Amino acid sequence: QARNLSFPTRFSSPESIRHIQARSIYLASSPRQREADTGSKMLAFLCGLLRTEEERCRNNEYILALLIERLDIMAMIIGAKSNDDAPDTKKGTLFGDGTKMPMAHGLMMAIRLAIENDSIHLGKTDAFYEKFVTVCCMALEQSLYVVADTEENTSPEEDPSTSDTQMRSSSTPLNVNTGAIGANAGYSSIKGVAEDEAIRRYAFQRIIMASWLMTKEACASLSSSITCKEFHPSMSLIKAVGSLLISTLTSLKHQGAAFAAHRALQVISEFCFTSSVDEECVSLPLLWAKRLVSDISGADNVRDSTLRRSTGYALGFLSIMRSEPPSSATPRTLSPDILGTLVRLSLPSTKTGLDKYMDEIGLNSYSDTVFYATSVSRSSHFLDFEDKCRDQWRTRVHALNILRLAILDAPLASDTRLFISDAIVASLIGYEDSRWTIRNSATMVFAAAMLRVVDADKNASSSSGNAITATELFRRYPMLLDFLLRLMKKGVEDMRLENNRIELSYPSLYPVLLLLSRLQPVAISGEAAVDLTEPFIPSILKCLMHRQHKIRLVAAFSLHNLLPNDCGRLAFADELLAKCEDMLRNPKRQQIEWNSVHGALLGIQQLLSNMSNSGTLLSRQDELRARLYRLFESDIETFRCPPPCASIVLEILTNAAILQGKSALNLKRDVGRACIKVLAELQRSNCNHIGIARLGAIASRGYCECCLEGIWDPMMDSSKREPLLKSLSFPLENDTIDVRLNATKVIKKSICLNIHRLLSRSDVTSDSQRDTIRDIACTLLKALMIELNRNDLLLSDKAYNLGMHPPTVRRLSRCLIECLHALWALDFSFEDDGKISATCIWEMSLNMLGLDKESNEIFSRLNTDNLLNGNAVELMAFSIQAWASTNNLTNTSLRIFVEILTLISEKQASWRLRHSVAVATETSQVLQLSRMTNDFILASQQNLIGRLLVFLEDSDPDVRFVAGRAIMQAGAKEMSSFKPSTSQLVTEQGYDLVSNRFSSSETSSMLLQSILESCRGVADVLD
């Protein structure tokens, strides 16, 4: 209308418009969202095309009347309205034909779109808007009748304390009530059941879907109508709408609909704050906030949340707090008041232990710590509710859950940052409660405060670059520093030794240590941070002796984080090592407190990490590591100390040996000797101690790092390299899975770093390069064959045999493939070598595929979901290429190779498998074989070319690239001319080469075969 648009003449006749309107109404009545949205937009567009205001009003009155009619039918079907034709109706029973329940949300949306369009004027009077708001309220109430968790009124004679609802609430706190008329059961399958049951289930689904859609649309329509510029709603109407939206939020069981009500309430609250129609409207958000506070704090009416984590109540509070407009003249008052109230409600009452708790940690009153929440309480509007909610655990849970969402809400960041300290204090106090529900909600609040203020990287194991400094945190929240320090001191004072076990009275000690470990390191935070955090260090040192592993671990992180420089860290590491020496001098090993030893070792490990290796610091570190090795040498070799302690010692020494490189030959020798003794003991005995797997993994990693440095030297003679490779075979062939897996990881990393470096050296002959890579490949081949044969190997000295380990096989085979590619580039002949033969690789590849031998039934036993198939076919390609180059390729081997490629390269397969198929096709060089040899080679080439043509249009760019390169190879083109800039260009080049290589009939046959394979199974689905 604003652009003077209209229908073409052909569609502008009254009869045509009526047909378009009828079609629009039909689409708007669809349960499918896109169809309903399209119909609604068509109806709104038709309304905008009407020229006069009278025509538009008449049109919308017609749509509204149709909407009311459908709502009446919906009400009778769901039982929200009595029906004279069905006298036996009652709530929860389908007495209408639910399969024909009309969908009315599309019609409501059409009116809303017309209202939201400023260019469509619907009239100067408020009558239509009031009527539409009334209809929306009625529709929302009807929908809530089905999809809301409404409480039944109990009779005066019934004791509510013994009702089923109360019993469920007490046994499952804050549960999600399934409620309503069997909403969850209504979504069960309608297939495979009797016809009557299918009709009943379909009726349930349609009723529930109509109610959900109507709930969301009614909320959106209410906000659009109330805030329309042409409408002047009364205060009583706005108040009623707001109260209905709050009831919707607190009773809905669907988060999507709850967010729709949340958005609507926020829009209406913003309208109240900015409206100049009625000054009393400004007080409505406060009234609604009091309603919400009353719902979560009233001793008689506090109830479990319908949605998880009190989401309904939280969304209501967020709507009100977000809507308060910021002002430079007068600060926001409602949001701080609500946040302060939530903090105070999350605390236990002074009668049930709050004052006692504060007195235990040395504080006179909680007001000394909860500063902001206490200061706003003097003028709070919610004091009356707080006085009535003492000793209500549900109130505390609701308050903590709401506080968590408020902290995570970005629009409220400027308000919530003042209460972060209070929230952290409330959460730490919540850790001490005996109820799991309160401890759980307190954990969520603490995690939210950590993400919002301390460190936004929630997956970091230590402090990240974006973490807050101790100076900034404790200067912004000075009360928090004193509280945390007193809490830690009281916690470590209560640690006591009873029956050789260290107990802890304060479970909140762990989150305090976690907070300290996530701060920005003090070493880069300035002198002020050192002064602020120094009082924590004595308590952290005591926490290293705690019996809980997690507390020892996070205490070690905190100690490293709070020490200002490397000299101080070395001093503390020396002190901890001296404590270990004192404890291990006890001749009675059973009386040694190994938890304390383990904590001291964790502290030493963290203190020595990321330390400078210059000057005197390096010599002091070497001296400390030598003392550490001498102290634990005999214990590690004989397994006299717990595996977790031995793991830390080995890890400290291994990391130092790797970082210092060639300058630490003595250290590497000591590490290698200790690691090989650990591996030998693991191989000899059947150890099942806690931590033994990690010890084996670290020993394997350390031993391989020490052995790998020399094997890549091309100047080394094969006779000297052989002992190193034999030593490397020991962890690769160990019976412990973690040992083999970590050895393979180290070798794979070494191959990726060194193999291309070796090939690019111009000062080394090709023979030396081949000998070096062949020796390594032989070791890998032997280890891979042993790993594959573990399925058939009976280990007589073990209690059980787990068989081959697929992750180890996958990494080993990938290492072997990289070596074979390097040998291929160096013109290595697999047929002429006795150690790496094409036959050996072929048989091993069949074993990886789960196939024991070549036979006619081989393909029926192939598992196409095997994760090792990709590496297996890439290995098979080397055998095919070797046999083809020496004219020893048989039709049987080629048939097996091509059929396996076909079976594992289905469209639903992983992109890795498709990539491996393309690589194997290229490596095998089957496409370069002479077609005149026999007809089977021609058929195989056509099969592979057809598959590569499909890969040219693959969704993965790597698959497309390798497929294009393989086709270029088949067309005898130079690789340098292959520059696949776009997918279309690759496809065009590929088809050109194929058409030049093969005749038109052969090309057509390949393309038709690809089409048939792509359409395979379509007929079955259509039937």
Side-chain angles (χ1 to χ4, degrees):
Q1 187 181 22
R3 299 181 181 181
N4 199 25
L5 297 176
S6 60
F7 276 124
T9 307
R10 179 179 178 183
F11 300 105
S12 58
S13 64
E15 186 66 22
S16 298
I17 291 179
R18 280 197 298 272
H19 284 301
I20 295 174
Q21 186 183 50
R23 186 60 182 174
S24 302
I25 293 174
Y26 176 79
L27 289 174
S29 306
S30 172
R32 301 179 180 88
Q33 184 175 354
R34 292 185 179 180
E35 291 183 4
D37 291 350
T38 301
S40 302
K41 292 175 182 178
M42 290 174 64
L43 288 173
F45 181 69
L46 285 174
C47 180
L49 290 177
L50 298 176
R51 295 298 180 182
T52 65
E53 186 174 293
E54 181 180 356
E55 290 177 330
R56 291 192 293 274
C57 290
R58 189 163 53 247
N59 176 80
N60 283 283
E61 288 287 354
Y62 169 72
I63 301 296
L64 184 59
L66 187 58
L67 172 62
I68 295 173
E69 180 182 347
R70 294 193 174 187
L71 288 175
D72 289 339
I73 299 175
M74 290 178 63
M76 288 187 291
I77 290 178
I78 65 177
K81 185 176 181 179
S82 62
N83 185 357
D84 296 336
D85 297 331
D88 57 340
T89 61
K90 59 181 179 179
K91 182 178 179 180
T93 304
L94 287 177
F95 53 86
D97 191 354
T99 59
K100 296 181 180 180
M101 184 171 183
M103 298 286 176
H105 67 283
L107 300 177
M108 185 177 292
M109 181 181 178
I111 301 176
R112 175 174 64 83
L113 292 176
I115 292 175
E116 291 176 351
N117 192 336
D118 295 335
S119 62
I120 303 178
H121 300 284
L122 300 179
K124 301 297 183 181
T125 62
D126 294 340
F128 174 78
Y129 294 100
E130 290 181 357
K131 185 177 181 181
F132 183 59
V133 169
T134 304
V135 171
C136 291
C137 292
M138 179 181 68
L140 186 55
E141 291 173 350
Q142 286 183 192
S143 301
L144 295 180
Y145 189 83
V146 176
V147 297
D149 182 18
T150 56
E151 293 183 338
E152 297 288 347
N153 295 325
T154 57
S155 60
E157 295 80 14
E158 183 181 356
D159 183 6
S161 62
T162 59
S163 65
D164 292 340
T165 304
Q166 295 292 333
M167 291 175 64
R168 287 194 301 268
S169 299
S170 60
S171 60
T172 310
L174 301 179
N175 63 315
V176 180
N177 195 325
T178 53
I181 57 171
N184 294 337
Y187 279 104
S188 55
S189 175
I190 61 175
K191 295 182 178 180
V193 296
E195 183 178 358
D196 293 342
E197 178 64 15
I199 293 176
R200 187 188 69 82
R201 293 184 179 184
Y202 175 73
F204 267 32
Q205 289 185 11
R206 189 172 179 88
I207 289 174
I208 295 166
M209 179 62 67
S211 301
W212 283 131
L213 295 174
M214 178 56 69
T215 300
K216 292 196 286 187
E217 184 54 44
C219 293
S221 298
L222 282 173
S223 62
S224 298
S225 303
I226 293 294
T227 58
C228 180
K229 295 179 181 180
E230 297 181 351
F231 183 38
H232 305 91
S234 63
M235 179 180 174
S236 59
L237 183 61
I238 300 175
K239 180 180 178 181
V241 170
S243 299
L244 179 59
L245 290 174
I246 290 176
S247 299
T248 303
L249 279 170
T250 57
S251 60
L252 276 176
K253 302 184 297 296
H254 187 275
Q255 225 171 20
F259 273 94
H262 154 65
R263 288 189 294 268
L265 183 60
Q266 180 178 340
V267 171
I268 294 175
S269 296
E270 290 173 354
F271 173 78
C272 291
F273 276 115
T274 58
S275 176
S276 58
V277 178
D278 193 342
E279 295 181 356
E280 295 183 359
C281 287
V282 180
S283 63
L284 288 179
L286 175 60
L287 183 66
W288 295 330
K290 288 183 177 181
R291 155 84 183 275
L292 287 168
V293 173
S294 174
D295 286 346
I296 66 170
S297 63
D300 298 328
N301 60 344
V302 61
R303 58 192 290 266
D304 295 342
S305 175
T306 307
L307 293 173
R308 294 181 71 246
R309 307 228 177 267
S310 311
T311 302
Y313 298 112
L315 291 178
F317 280 111
L318 292 184
S319 300
I320 296 171
M321 289 190 288
R322 284 180 178 182
S323 62
E324 186 178 10
S327 175
S328 57
T330 58
R332 289 156 58 101
T333 58
L334 184 56
S335 295
D337 195 358
I338 293 175
L339 291 171
T341 301
L342 292 174
V343 171
R344 294 190 298 274
L345 291 177
S346 65
L347 296 170
S349 67
T350 55
K351 297 179 181 179
T352 57
L354 182 58
D355 289 342
K356 181 182 177 182
Y357 176 84
M358 290 296 175
D359 184 63
E360 285 180 354
I361 63 175
L363 292 173
N364 296 327
S365 172
Y366 81 95
S367 60
D368 296 339
T369 302
V370 189
F371 175 74
Y372 286 100
T374 306
S375 61
V376 298
S377 67
R378 301 185 184 96
S379 58
S380 175
H381 297 89
F382 308 102
L383 289 178
D384 294 340
F385 301 105
E386 296 177 35
D387 295 335
K388 300 176 182 179
C389 68
R390 297 306 181 188
D391 302 322
Q392 286 288 329
W393 65 268
R394 284 187 178 88
T395 298
R396 292 186 63 189
V397 172
H398 285 315
L400 288 168
N401 290 337
I402 297 166
L403 199 57
R404 166 186 167 267
L405 277 183
I407 292 173
L408 294 176
D409 193 55
L412 295 177
S414 59
D415 292 326
T416 55
R417 66 181 179 85
L418 299 176
F419 294 87
I420 290 295
S421 174
D422 297 349
I424 292 176
V425 171
S427 64
L428 293 176
I429 294 175
Y431 271 95
E432 313 298 331
D433 199 276
S434 60
R435 297 179 181 87
W436 174 86
T437 50
I438 294 179
R439 296 197 304 271
N440 183 50
S441 298
T443 302
M444 298 295 104
V445 173
F446 181 80
M450 289 281 291
L451 287 175
R452 182 59 68 185
V453 173
V454 179
D455 191 354
D457 190 356
K458 64 179 180 180
N459 295 319
S461 58
S462 58
S463 61
S464 64
N466 297 323
I468 193 173
T469 64
T471 306
E472 184 179 359
L473 177 67
F474 293 131
R475 284 183 178 175
R476 185 184 296 177
Y477 309 112
M479 303 291 184
L480 183 62
L481 174 62
D482 186 47
F483 177 78
L484 296 179
L485 186 58
R486 290 175 182 271
L487 184 60
M488 280 202 66
K489 287 182 178 179
K490 181 60 179 176
V492 297
E493 286 175 4
D494 286 359
M495 291 170 58
R496 58 192 182 276
L497 188 64
E498 294 180 354
N499 299 325
N500 292 329
R501 307 185 83 184
I502 296 178
E503 304 291 343
L504 182 66
S505 301
Y506 282 77
S508 54
L509 190 58
Y510 177 80
V512 176
L513 290 169
L514 182 63
L515 187 149
L516 295 175
S517 68
R518 298 296 294 273
L519 295 175
Q520 195 79 258
V522 171
I524 58 175
S525 301
E527 291 295 329
V530 176
D531 297 336
L532 289 170
T533 57
E534 188 176 4
F536 289 99
I537 293 178
S539 299
I540 293 175
L541 290 173
K542 293 182 180 179
C543 289
L544 289 174
M545 298 185 296
H546 192 262
R547 71 182 182 91
Q548 292 289 342
H549 173 265
K550 280 294 184 180
I551 289 186
R552 296 197 300 270
L553 183 62
V554 75
F557 282 124
S558 302
L559 183 63
H560 175 270
N561 218 29
L562 300 188
L563 291 178
N565 51 54
D566 290 344
C567 292
R569 292 170 185 166
L570 277 174
F572 275 101
D574 186 76
E575 179 183 344
L576 291 172
L577 184 55
K579 288 184 178 181
C580 289
E581 291 173 340
D582 292 339
M583 287 184 284
L584 292 177
R585 287 194 186 101
N586 191 339
K588 297 182 179 180
R589 311 292 291 183
Q590 294 83 0
Q591 296 181 3
I592 295 177
E593 180 52 53
W594 287 109
N595 284 331
S596 300
V597 176
H598 182 256
L601 291 173
L602 282 173
I604 295 173
Q605 181 183 29
Q606 289 299 319
L607 292 171
L608 292 181
S609 63
N610 300 324
M611 191 174 289
S612 173
N613 290 328
S614 60
T616 58
L617 289 178
L618 180 59
S619 61
R620 290 180 61 188
Q621 292 176 57
D622 291 340
E623 179 186 354
L624 193 145
R625 293 188 184 101
R627 287 171 53 195
L628 186 65
Y629 177 73
R630 288 194 301 270
L631 180 62
F632 284 92
E633 181 178 7
S634 60
D635 289 328
I636 292 176
E637 294 173 0
T638 59
F639 280 25
R640 294 174 61 195
C641 71
C645 296
S647 301
I648 297 175
V649 175
L650 278 183
E651 194 168 10
I652 293 173
L653 299 176
T654 300
N655 291 338
I658 296 172
L659 290 175
Q660 296 181 25
K662 296 181 179 180
S663 62
L665 296 179
N666 293 332
L667 180 60
K668 283 191 174 181
R669 185 173 58 252
D670 293 340
V671 170
R673 184 167 60 250
C675 290
I676 193 62
K677 290 181 178 179
V678 170
L679 296 178
E681 184 64 23
L682 285 175
Q683 182 75 356
R684 183 188 63 82
S685 61
N686 186 18
C687 300
N688 55 2
H689 304 301
I690 295 176
I692 200 69
R694 177 170 172 77
L695 176 60
I698 293 175
S700 176
R701 171 174 169 261
Y703 184 69
C704 291
E705 293 283 1
C706 295
C707 294
L708 282 171
E709 187 173 349
I711 66 173
W712 289 104
D713 186 4
M715 304 304 179
M716 181 182 291
D717 188 73
S718 295
S719 59
K720 295 182 179 179
R721 188 183 295 110
E722 185 176 355
L724 292 176
L725 292 173
K726 186 176 181 180
S727 300
L728 191 63
S729 300
F730 184 71
L732 288 175
E733 300 170 11
N734 197 282
D735 291 334
T736 305
I737 288 178
D738 297 271
V739 173
R740 303 198 303 271
L741 179 61
N742 281 272
T744 308
K745 289 180 178 179
V746 175
I747 294 173
K748 182 180 178 183
K749 183 179 179 181
S750 176
I751 287 177
C752 294
L753 291 175
N754 292 288
I755 199 165
H756 296 293
R757 187 183 303 168
L758 176 62
L759 293 176
S760 62
R761 289 184 60 174
S762 58
D763 60 330
V764 181
T765 63
S766 299
D767 292 338
S768 298
Q769 293 173 338
R770 276 196 297 267
D771 291 342
T772 302
I773 298 175
R774 183 197 59 184
D775 291 342
I776 298 173
C778 289
T779 303
L780 295 173
L781 181 62
K782 179 185 175 184
L784 183 56
M785 293 177 65
I786 292 176
E787 185 69 29
L788 290 171
N789 290 331
R790 288 183 183 276
N791 286 335
D792 303 324
L793 187 63
L794 180 62
L795 303 178
S796 57
D797 58 337
K798 297 290 183 181
Y800 54 87
N801 174 29
L802 297 178
M804 77 165 184
H805 188 231
T808 302
V809 174
R810 178 168 53 84
R811 289 177 173 86
L812 271 176
S813 58
R814 178 50 57 185
C815 293
L816 180 60
I817 289 170
E818 294 296 329
C819 291
L820 295 181
H821 273 295
L823 291 174
W824 184 31
L826 294 170
D827 297 328
F828 178 81
S829 176
F830 297 102
E831 280 294 277
D832 298 336
D833 190 84
K835 295 183 179 179
I836 308 179
S837 66
T839 303
C840 179
I841 296 175
W842 180 264
E843 292 176 353
M844 185 185 62
S845 302
L846 289 177
N847 196 351
M848 288 179 63
L849 291 167
L851 310 174
D852 50 358
K853 60 180 181 179
E854 298 179 2
S855 63
N856 294 328
E857 297 81 16
I858 187 172
F859 307 115
S860 62
R861 301 194 304 273
L862 179 64
N863 179 14
T864 56
D865 296 329
N866 188 358
L867 297 177
L868 305 175
N869 289 344
N871 289 359
V873 295
E874 290 189 49
L875 287 172
M876 295 177 74
F878 288 102
S879 299
I880 296 293
Q881 186 269 338
W883 287 329
S885 63
T886 57
N887 296 323
N888 292 325
L889 179 62
T890 62
N891 288 347
T892 302
S893 300
L894 182 59
R895 178 178 65 87
I896 291 175
F897 178 66
V898 174
E899 287 293 335
I900 290 176
L901 292 183
T902 303
L903 289 173
I904 70 173
S905 60
E906 299 294 338
K907 283 189 174 182
Q908 61 269 22
S910 168
W911 71 269
R912 298 179 187 274
L913 277 179
R914 301 196 302 273
H915 183 268
S916 293
V917 169
V919 171
T921 304
E922 179 188 20
T923 304
S924 67
Q925 297 186 347
V926 172
L927 301 180
Q928 292 181 320
L929 296 177
S930 173
R931 295 188 295 159
M932 303 303 295
T933 306
N934 56 52
D935 293 336
F936 184 76
I937 291 181
L938 175 61
S940 300
Q941 289 177 338
Q942 290 178 346
N943 189 330
L944 294 177
I945 284 288
R947 197 149 301 280
L948 291 176
L949 291 176
V950 174
F951 286 166
L952 288 179
E953 301 177 3
D954 196 88
S955 59
D956 186 80
D958 292 334
V959 176
R960 295 197 301 267
F961 180 82
V962 177
R965 192 172 61 188
I967 289 180
M968 291 291 183
Q969 184 189 78
K973 294 286 184 179
E974 294 294 333
M975 290 292 97
S976 58
S977 65
F978 178 57
K979 298 179 180 179
S981 57
T982 63
S983 176
Q984 183 179 3
L985 178 60
V986 174
T987 305
E988 291 176 357
Q989 292 177 349
Y991 278 100
D992 288 341
L993 288 171
V994 170
S995 61
N996 292 332
R997 174 80 184 273
F998 298 94
S999 65
S1000 58
S1001 60
E1002 292 172 342
T1003 304
S1004 300
S1005 175
M1006 286 187 291
L1007 296 178
L1008 289 173
Q1009 183 65 29
S1010 300
I1011 294 173
L1012 289 175
E1013 288 184 4
S1014 301
C1015 298
R1016 184 171 43 185
V1018 174
D1020 298 335
V1021 175
L1022 293 177
D1023 292 340

